[in-house]
Amino acid sequence: MKKTILTGIRPTGNLHLGHYFGAVKNWLKLQNEYETNIEIADVQALTDNFDNPSKVRKNVYELAIDLLSCGINPEKATLYIQSQISEIAELTVFYSNLVTMARLYRNPTVKSEITQKKALFGNSGESVTYGFVGYPVSQAADITAFNGDLIPVGEDQLPLIEQCREIVRKFNNIYGETLKEPDALLSTSPRIKGLDGNEKMGKSLGNAIYLCDNEETISKKIMSAVTDTNKIRKDDPAEPEKCMVFYYHKLIENPNLDTVCSECKKGARGCVSCKKELINNMNKFLEPIREKRKYYEKNPEIVESILKKGTEEAKQKAKVTMKKVKKAMMIEY
Ligand code: TRP
């Protein structure tokens, strides 16, 4: 029996290189080895965007197109829309009795997200909704609905997996052995840095290279990338480690990396020509993804039918869990 992978991603914008190298690239491999479920977590996206449903809806399709264009294969992975699996919402209600408010507020992921919100919207803790504080419970429902064995996530998500494991243990203790405790499959890829040198590439930071960026946008963005600030003239020697252009040369595996590095150190390479080389390589890297995106944009009914089929499959899987859970809780009538 193949082990089950369950992962999710919020539809809040297009995928960028941070998503690709941090998560999706790994999923492309995992889908060949495991029974893979990839959830488009639109309900979770709504915890932050409940007042902007059209943004979430649009991004469900955008995300599906991005994932398919990267090579997520609907024959291998079940790609589905969270909101359409009502079992997840039901499980969330049942699990909510097993979690204290204090425990949710102590969840490091929730805690740091609340701090970020306060920094953005002022110090009125009241803007934090019940749904937001409770999203780890909903994520535990995501995971257990599909009997996930392994949950591929980044480090920031570990507290959510731990909280899920606690819920599972408590459920099994009270209602009898029913649910499986998942393990995190920690991503080994380091966080991808932004064009401005920030440790994190992110939409809100405005420093991201998107998989759907066209050639002109790529050119503009890379031309603005941060380089070694001590290098002023074209033939000044510089330190590649301080340069984002070199960082991306490495990330997308420029075959001439050694030359780039040694020329940069010697002052034998100007930043403009180095950037042009990167623009060229970045476009080559993105081209196959762009080509597939064009295909799906031209054939939206194919995307619709992939999501429909995936969601139906997911629903069947979640139903099996639901039946067991209701029986254990003595609410099957
Ligand atoms: N919280 C995850 C994120 O923001 C997305 C997510 C939703 C998820 N449901 C999940 C991840 C289930 C793993 C398992 O990235």
Side-chain angles (χ1 to χ4, degrees):
M1 267 279 273
K2 275 189 189 175
K3 284 202 168 178
T4 298
I5 290 269
L6 182 294
T7 195
I9 181 162
R10 298 182 188 197
T12 52
N14 283 104
L15 296 186
H16 52 61
L17 292 183
H19 297 114
Y20 183 82
F21 286 100
V24 179
K25 194 176 168 200
N26 192 30
W27 301 350
L28 296 177
K29 224 170 39 207
L30 294 172
Q31 68 179 351
N32 296 319
E33 299 159 26
Y34 295 96
E35 181 172 331
T36 302
N37 301 290
I38 301 175
E39 175 175 292
I40 299 183
D42 59 340
V43 176
Q44 194 175 105
L46 283 165
T47 59
D48 269 318
N49 298 276
F50 58 87
D51 52 354
N52 199 352
S54 55
K55 171 183 160 191
V56 175
R57 187 181 177 92
K58 170 177 168 278
N59 281 312
V60 166
Y61 292 105
E62 282 298 312
L63 180 56
I65 292 178
D66 272 335
L67 290 170
L68 293 167
S69 305
C70 286
I72 293 297
N73 180 347
E75 301 296 321
K76 296 178 182 167
T78 305
L79 182 65
Y80 62 96
I81 305 174
Q82 183 189 21
S83 59
Q84 302 311 295
I85 316 294
S86 50
E87 285 77 6
I88 295 174
E90 282 183 80
L91 289 174
T92 305
V93 174
F94 302 156
Y95 297 167
S96 65
N97 294 325
L98 308 178
V99 184
T100 64
M101 293 307 291
R103 176 64 181 86
L104 284 171
Y105 277 121
R106 249 191 288 122
N107 183 311
T109 310
V110 173
K111 225 163 128 178
S112 81
E113 284 172 348
I114 290 178
T115 311
Q116 279 167 28
K117 275 184 206 293
K118 284 190 180 162
L120 277 176
F121 305 117
N123 196 18
S124 64
E126 285 162 35
S127 64
V128 176
T129 63
Y130 161 62
F132 178 78
V133 180
Y135 95 80
V137 184
S138 164
Q139 188 156 319
D142 292 342
I143 294 169
T144 52
F146 298 93
N147 254 313
D149 292 296
L150 294 170
I151 318 301
V153 284
E155 199 146 7
D156 62 312
Q157 294 285 306
L158 287 180
L160 291 169
I161 310 301
E162 192 44 47
Q163 182 128 43
C164 174
R165 291 166 60 93
E166 278 177 38
I167 291 173
V168 167
R169 287 199 292 269
K170 193 148 184 191
F171 187 102
N172 289 345
N173 254 327
I174 298 172
Y175 304 115
E177 203 60 35
T178 313
L179 303 168
K180 194 156 33 177
E181 250 184 83
D183 286 306
L185 187 62
L186 192 59
S187 166
T188 49
S189 46
R191 215 173 218 178
I192 304 305
K193 296 185 193 180
L195 284 158
D196 56 356
N198 193 306
E199 283 305 311
K200 186 181 171 196
M201 180 179 277
K203 184 178 49 167
S204 51
L205 298 165
N207 63 4
I209 293 178
Y210 291 94
L211 302 178
C212 61
D213 279 344
N214 62 25
E215 295 198 0
E216 200 190 323
T217 309
I218 291 294
S219 176
K220 254 195 238 148
K221 284 185 177 173
I222 290 178
M223 278 301 174
S224 77
V226 167
T227 52
D228 180 352
T229 45
N230 289 325
K231 178 170 166 119
I232 299 176
R233 275 171 300 268
K234 194 172 116 195
D235 45 8
D236 285 344
E239 293 177 66
E241 288 70 35
K242 293 185 179 164
C243 173
M244 294 319 295
V245 178
F246 182 72
Y247 175 85
Y248 295 123
H249 272 304
K250 202 158 53 175
L251 185 69
I252 61 169
E253 297 175 27
N254 183 332
N256 300 318
L257 197 66
D258 291 344
T259 315
V260 176
C261 186
S262 64
E263 283 182 358
C264 175
K265 282 183 175 163
K266 276 192 302 210
R269 155 177 292 256
C271 289
V272 171
S273 68
C274 191
K275 285 175 169 177
K276 285 193 172 145
E277 185 176 331
L278 177 63
I279 290 167
N280 224 340
N281 289 340
M282 189 65 77
N283 281 323
K284 263 191 230 152
F285 170 76
L286 292 175
E287 200 44 40
I289 302 177
R290 284 189 195 129
E291 278 302 305
K292 283 197 225 149
R293 169 169 267 279
K294 253 188 243 153
Y295 166 78
Y296 288 115
E297 279 174 345
K298 242 189 249 150
N299 300 285
E301 71 289 350
I302 294 180
V303 181
E304 295 258 359
S305 91
I306 289 171
L307 287 174
K308 198 159 175 229
K309 189 168 155 272
T311 300
E312 271 160 23
E313 261 171 45
K315 179 100 187 155
Q316 292 315 314
K317 297 185 197 180
K319 267 188 180 166
V320 177
T321 307
M322 198 70 238
K323 217 175 163 156
K324 284 193 233 164
V325 162
K326 284 193 166 166
K327 186 155 190 282
M329 293 180 71
M330 301 189 184
I331 49 173
E332 93 285 30
Y333 290 102

